[in-house]
Amino acid sequence: MITIGIDVGGTNVVSGLFNDEGRLIRSRKVPTETSQGSAGLLGQLAELCKTLLTEEGLPEGALSAVGIGLPGFIDFKTGEVDAANLPLVRTPVAQKLSELIGVPVTVRNDVKMIVYGESLRGVGKGFDHVLGLTLGTGLASAWVSERKLHDGAAGLAGEIGHIAFSDIPYVCGCGMKGCLETVVSATGIARQARDGLAAGWVGLLAERFPPERRESLTARDVWQAAVDGDGFAIETFRRTAGWLARALAPAIALLSPDIIIVGGGVASSGELFLQPLHAVLSSSLHPLYAERLRIVTPALGDEAGLYGSSEFAREHLSLAKEASA
Amino acid sequence: MITIGIDVGGTNVVSGLFNDEGRLIRSRKVPTETSQGSAGLLGQLAELCKTLLTEEGLPEGALSAVGIGLPGFIDFKTGEVDAANLPLVRTPVAQKLSELIGVPVTVRNDVKMIVYGESLRGVGKGFDHVLGLTLGTGLASAWVSERKLHDGAAGLAGEIGHIAFSDIPYVCGCGMKGCLETVVSATGIARQARDGLAAGWVGLLAERFPPERRESLTARDVWQAAVDGDGFAIETFRRTAGWLARALAPAIALLSPDIIIVGGGVASSGELFLQPLHAVLSSSLHPLYAERLRIVTPALGDEAGLYGSSEFAREHLSLAKEASA
């Protein structure tokens, strides 16, 4: 079965061709076509599929299915997609692209496809129950159990970034106060650091970012200051890990994952974040869970979404064939 | 397919015979045989199966499978069961009973079987994704998605009673400090009430339970005082609901259940507990989840465990047949 996985981002579209064995044999990265509305973007995706096949010397008929991951909200009843950073407004992406290229198309949120890829082909390979998170601009999660991505009622599973804690003071982009992702995310870490400096914290980070430069401060700068020994920066990672642990502990006790994958920009902070996360979780979980606790960073890099969406399209096609058999 | 479901408790064993359509057609309740070690209990279970069949005029060969729910810990590698209130110490219950009665036997924790029964045949019927809790002596949970009970890595899924919160002051029977079930359970509600009275709270509950009678106070007394308008009793239910909400909110955002079943002794407190639980959860969840939030009490009463273990045995047998086909 030849499949294509596509990771559609606001800046670039990354696409990959997978051979019969599910190996990535060819990939292309192009700037996302956003100037011509949804038709322009869909046309670009169809072209990409054709180009990948042609370049590999394969006829169009060789393709079995396409999987897409994108940063958007999918209405599971209608299949319509809304995406703030893409020209998609109630666009039935799967249906439209399927009409253009003549094969089944699956569409899921990009974070779910990244976690699915890591679960089946990356760091989660060989584990039955995988809980995955990405901490980037926001915080999202996905749950994969026995190769099955969990969509939940109305396809709403995964948005752990939008639970409110009473001790988180920030208003979220979603309109709620205290959403976890206002602190547990790359933007959240930068925000906490800026506010801490404004409140008078001193040290390396304060020296590097005087008030006039403070707006440019990123999570990466907090990380660098922490690596260089800045106590406030280290504490910012610790506090952030503590908040995340409060959300993860119940999920771990409820689901007993084999492994927890923490990806996204913050994951590159490595042990500065993961070590306190592991420590707080261990102390708040029963030893039966704490002993088994395995928190890891992703293995597939930028290709995780391609693997995930390709595998997801394959899995869907197999299920559809079983059901009709 | 004729099956038997058995709910083994420390006091009674309830067993039920289910016909081809999965309807409960006959049940028996007998005191649990605990005086003759594991062999005595297993012999009792085998006898119960035979009696149910005989009473219904069915030959032994008519039975296809037996499912058991019991209050114990099951080692998923070996199938061995440990149960504090039953004469089971590393006893391979499924294997032993299967040898005695000649059909496949499944064994799971009793809470899981109760939730499974409610999911498939009780208040959760017709819903794909069901999160179930029981608040009794302790607090436990189970997750059923698309008819599948989730066991998790090492079969450890479900013990949300044993996550620790820093603002819970009690030491748990498990040895940890701050376990959720030290407050969110029938025993936990009674404990909070006793401690509150000792600390000087006044009102109806204080009048009804002067210091010399305080040890006998139960969750049911707190409920009665709350019904009668006692502010402290009402507040005790509210605070308890708040703690539980903190554990449930991340699980809801992660999994998006269609419905949440709250059972066990505390469930009989009804709206006194469920109303504040709903309110706190609604305020801490994104509107997409809050609008869909459905918290209900069980429908099957004492028979939930029978339905659950019978259905579970059926499901297992079907899967085994599929796999060997």
Side-chain angles (χ1 to χ4, degrees), chain A residues 73 129 131 141-143 145-146 148 150-154 156-160 162-164 174 176 246-247 249-251 253-258 283-289 292, chain B residues 73 129 131 141-143 145-146 148 150-154 156-160 162-164 174 176 246-247 249-251 253-258 283-289 292:
Chain A
F73 176 78
H129 311 292
L131 179 57
S141 71
W143 169 241
S145 180
E146 293 171 351
K148 197 172 172 328
H150 180 67
D151 286 316
L156 286 173
E159 296 296 341
I160 61 159
H162 299 283
I163 51 175
C174 79
M176 283 172 73
R246 264 158 57 190
L254 177 62
L255 298 171
S256 186
D258 286 296
S283 69
S284 62
L285 287 167
H286 189 281
L288 280 171
Y289 299 94
R292 305 177 49 84
Chain B
F73 177 79
H129 310 292
L131 179 58
S141 70
W143 170 240
S145 180
E146 293 171 351
K148 198 174 172 324
H150 180 67
D151 286 316
L156 287 173
E159 297 296 342
I160 61 159
H162 298 283
I163 51 174
C174 80
M176 281 174 74
R246 264 159 56 189
L254 176 62
L255 297 172
S256 187
D258 285 295
S283 70
S284 62
L285 287 167
H286 189 280
L288 279 170
Y289 299 94
R292 304 178 49 86

Side-chain angles (χ1 to χ4, degrees), chain B residues 54-66:
Chain B
T54 308
E55 284 181 348
E56 194 60 29
L58 291 166
E60 279 188 32
L63 186 64
S64 291
V66 173

Side-chain angles (χ1 to χ4, degrees), chain A residues 289, chain B residues 6-9 67-76 80-84 86 106-117 132-134 139-143 149-151 155-160 162 181 304-306 308-309 312:
Chain A
Y289 299 94
Chain B
I6 309 180
D7 192 358
V8 183
I68 297 176
L70 50 77
F73 177 79
I74 300 149
D75 185 324
F76 269 56
E80 292 168 334
V81 175
D82 284 296
L86 296 171
T106 55
V107 178
R108 284 294 184 280
N109 177 274
D110 52 355
V111 170
K112 284 188 179 152
M113 291 297 89
I114 287 167
V115 173
Y116 196 67
L133 309 171
T134 63
L139 167 67
S141 70
W143 170 240
L149 173 74
H150 180 67
D151 286 316
L156 287 173
E159 297 296 342
I160 61 159
H162 298 283
E181 79 169 30
L306 300 188
S309 46
F312 191 74

Side-chain angles (χ1 to χ4, degrees), chain A residues 281-320:
Chain A
L281 275 174
S282 294
S283 69
S284 62
L285 287 167
H286 189 281
L288 280 171
Y289 299 94
E291 283 160 15
R292 305 177 49 84
L293 190 61
R294 205 185 268 119
I295 306 174
V296 298
T297 49
L300 297 175
D302 286 349
E303 291 173 350
L306 299 188
Y307 277 98
S309 46
S310 165
E311 288 287 345
F312 191 73
R314 273 165 199 258
E315 196 84 3
H316 248 240
L317 205 56
S318 304
L319 289 176

Side-chain angles (χ1 to χ4, degrees), chain B residues 202-226:
Chain B
V202 293
L204 268 179
L205 198 62
E207 287 162 27
R208 289 175 187 172
F209 289 87
E212 66 276 14
R213 289 197 51 218
R214 203 160 286 156
E215 275 309 303
S216 70
L217 188 159
T218 67
R220 175 137 196 105
D221 300 318
V222 185
W223 171 76
Q224 189 58 58

Side-chain angles (χ1 to χ4, degrees), chain A residues 156-239:
Chain A
L156 286 173
E159 296 296 341
I160 61 159
H162 299 283
I163 51 175
F165 285 4
S166 58
D167 61 343
I168 296 178
Y170 302 107
V171 173
C172 182
C174 79
M176 283 172 73
K177 187 190 154 285
C179 276
L180 191 58
E181 78 168 31
T182 64
V183 289
V184 182
S185 60
T187 45
I189 286 170
R191 175 188 287 127
Q192 292 179 68
R194 281 195 298 268
D195 280 13
L197 298 186
W201 277 92
V202 292
L204 267 180
L205 197 63
E207 287 162 27
R208 289 176 187 170
F209 289 87
E212 67 275 13
R213 289 197 52 216
R214 204 161 285 157
E215 277 308 304
S216 71
L217 187 158
T218 67
R220 172 137 198 108
D221 299 318
V222 185
W223 172 77
Q224 188 60 57
V227 166
D228 297 338
D230 182 66
F232 168 63
I234 292 170
E235 178 53 29
T236 301
F237 278 103
R238 276 215 187 121
R239 196 171 52 238

